[in-house]
Amino acid sequence: MTDNVRDRLSRELLGMPYAELSPLKCSVIDLIADEAPTRLVQSKPAFWDGLADKVAAIGGSWGFIFGFAAALILWMGANLLLKPLGHAFDPYPFIFLNLILSTLAAIQAPIIMMSQNRQAERDRVAAEHDYVVNLRAELEILRLHDRLDALRAEELAGMVERVEAKVERLGGKTA
């Protein structure tokens, strides 16, 4: 398509020259001009990003919570039972357990935040795609309305011509 077609479309549909449109609106005009389908482009996450998503998915599940609670109960129970025998590896107040929990929280929190940032980016891309699809649909509907109006105007003009011709014929017969 030529730039003239894109400029004409942007002026007709958006009331602005193509050169003054935002990149997003230009992409919509391009899609209409090219008659191409609107596609959502999704990229494959990098290894570490995918791992962060998996860690967040596991860490935010009921299975993890119940499993972790069971591990804590086993840890504390074993140490409480082994303390009288003098074989407790982390006696009460469970200082080593606190260290492990703090370390886990310190590592897990930024990983979950990375995953949330990626999800926010995916949501932003999806919202932008929705905007493009909605704008394109609205503009295509406007084009269809214009075409229907033009067809209706042609039909009415033809009807008026036929009526005028009949009136002339009827007027000639009575005179």
Side-chain angles (χ1 to χ4, degrees):
M1 289 276 157
T2 64
D3 287 339
N4 293 338
V5 172
R6 284 170 170 53
D7 193 58
R8 182 184 53 76
L9 277 172
S10 67
R11 287 178 190 274
E12 285 176 10
L13 299 173
L14 297 171
M16 298 175 68
Y18 183 78
E20 293 179 14
L21 296 178
S22 69
L24 198 59
K25 288 181 180 178
C26 282
S27 71
V28 172
I29 295 297
D30 292 343
L31 287 169
I32 292 171
D34 297 339
E35 296 181 358
T38 308
R39 290 193 169 89
L40 178 62
V41 179
Q42 293 182 346
S43 60
K44 187 174 186 245
F47 172 77
W48 294 110
D49 293 334
L51 183 62
D53 291 343
K54 289 176 186 170
V55 168
I58 292 168
S61 68
W62 283 108
F64 176 79
I65 292 170
F66 291 134
F68 201 69
L72 291 175
I73 291 169
L74 284 173
W75 182 288
M76 290 185 274
N79 279 293
L80 290 173
L81 292 173
L82 292 174
K83 185 173 183 178
L85 303 173
H87 296 298
F89 53 91
D90 186 23
Y92 182 82
F94 311 114
I95 295 172
F96 186 56
L97 178 61
N98 283 321
L99 176 66
I100 291 173
L101 293 174
S102 298
T103 304
L104 178 66
I107 292 171
Q108 192 178 23
I111 290 173
I112 290 172
M113 288 174 64
M114 284 188 283
S115 178
Q116 288 174 337
N117 289 341
R118 283 183 28 76
Q119 184 60 46
E121 178 62 21
R122 285 192 297 266
D123 291 345
R124 187 195 62 73
V125 168
E128 188 174 282
H129 178 260
D130 289 346
Y131 173 77
V132 167
V133 168
N134 291 338
L135 180 60
R136 180 178 181 181
E138 185 177 345
L139 295 177
E140 290 286 3
I141 289 169
L142 288 173
R143 286 180 69 195
L144 286 173
H145 277 288
D146 290 344
R147 288 179 188 167
L148 285 173
D149 290 345
L151 287 172
R152 187 168 288 137
E154 287 177 21
E155 183 180 355
L156 286 174
M159 291 171 84
V160 167
E161 286 177 16
R162 288 192 297 274
V163 167
E164 287 175 348
K166 287 181 181 180
V167 167
E168 282 181 22
R169 276 187 272 147
L170 287 174
K173 289 182 181 178
T174 58

